[in-house]
Amino acid sequence: VEHTLAGQDGAVLAVAYRGHGQQLASGAQDGTVRLWALGRGQVVHTLAGHDGAVLAVAYRGDGQQLASGAQDGTVRLWAVANGQVEHTLAGHDGTVWAVAYRGDGQQLASGAQDGTVRLWAVGRGQVVRVLQGSTGAVKALAWSPDGQRLVSTSTDGTMRLWDTASGRCLVTLYQFADGGWLALTPQGRYTGNALGTRHVTLAHGWALYPAAMFPMFDDPEAVRAALALSPARRRRQRQP
């Protein structure tokens, strides 16, 4: 053990390294975020303001800003240099479980108990788009390298791939307890393994029918097209 970092009151619930690895942020049950100088094992700043446990922390790519999400339903953006809050982002109904910066640092995604993902303009501190569709809490987020897509995971048992420019869900991925998996587009096209497709039923009027009766909807090509790279990235990959 190189250092034991102590001082927060209650459980430590989230940690994140600053890009160069010389600083660490920790969020805790007491509603604070502490910034630690790892070389010395000492606190640089204590960031106070949340009214509830801090469940998520993330540094912006340049290391100059930190986002924290908390049980009070807010996201706070902090200046790392002086520990001052720059924006308080409100709008979620319930605990914020996940925060993630886009690669260029100009947008932040937050996921919460209310099942929504919010995209925020970091410079203005305003919401850009609300991504809706999950029926459970959103617990994790990840941006694609080009910043055009976002993956969210939820306690409803799904992962969703979003087009961030339009706010559309491109594909919903299901993982079932029996080992089955399924990928479903908003147009009703799907693909999956044998165990996964057994979970699919199609409605016609008041009646439900097994998916095997309508093989035209089992369409791996449609799912692959929805998952395909953006046109700009495809062009870059074709270039020598």
Side-chain angles (χ1 to χ4, degrees):
V1 175
E2 294 184 345
H3 296 290
T4 298
L5 310 178
Q8 286 172 300
D9 185 11
V12 175
L13 303 170
V15 292
Y17 273 106
R18 195 176 180 185
H20 52 56
Q22 296 177 11
Q23 191 179 94
L24 180 84
S26 61
Q29 187 74 35
D30 63 6
T32 68
V33 178
R34 292 191 178 221
L35 307 184
W36 304 86
L38 293 182
R40 307 190 309 272
Q42 296 177 348
V43 174
V44 178
H45 295 295
T46 298
L47 315 180
H50 281 296
D51 184 19
V54 176
L55 283 303
V57 290
Y59 282 96
R60 194 171 63 190
D62 63 6
Q64 300 304 306
Q65 189 180 75
L66 182 87
S68 59
Q71 202 171 26
D72 61 9
T74 69
V75 176
R76 291 177 185 253
L77 305 182
W78 309 87
V80 171
N82 59 20
Q84 298 300 305
V85 66
E86 296 182 330
H87 295 290
T88 298
L89 312 179
H92 281 296
D93 182 13
T95 299
V96 176
W97 291 101
V99 291
Y101 280 97
R102 195 171 70 184
D104 63 6
Q106 296 182 19
Q107 275 194 18
L108 179 85
S110 59
Q113 188 69 32
D114 60 11
T116 68
V117 176
R118 289 182 175 250
L119 305 182
W120 307 88
V122 170
R124 305 194 311 272
Q126 296 177 348
V127 68
V128 175
R129 190 160 280 107
V130 179
L131 311 181
Q132 297 177 302
S134 298
T135 58
V138 175
K139 288 295 192 83
L141 299 165
W143 290 87
S144 64
D146 63 6
Q148 295 183 20
R149 295 184 176 185
L150 183 79
V151 175
S152 64
T153 71
S154 171
T155 56
D156 64 8
T158 67
M159 292 192 298
R160 294 173 189 265
L161 177 67
W162 305 90
D163 177 85
T164 57
S166 66
R168 292 186 302 115
C169 179
L170 301 175
V171 175
T172 302
L173 304 172
Y174 298 84
Q175 179 71 51
F176 301 104
D178 60 5
W181 66 269
L182 190 78
L184 177 69
T185 72
Q187 295 75 32
R189 307 295 175 172
Y190 66 87
T191 188
N193 63 7
L195 290 173
T197 56
R198 290 196 313 188
H199 291 270
V200 180
T201 55
L202 301 176
H204 181 68
W206 292 100
L208 295 176
Y209 300 93
M213 294 180 63
F214 301 91
M216 71 287 292
F217 292 107
D218 188 349
D219 191 349
E221 287 301 322
V223 175
R224 277 195 284 270
L227 291 169
L229 295 174
S230 69
R233 289 190 66 194
R234 285 199 297 269
R235 286 194 297 271
R236 287 197 296 271
Q237 289 196 354
R238 285 197 297 266
Q239 293 173 355

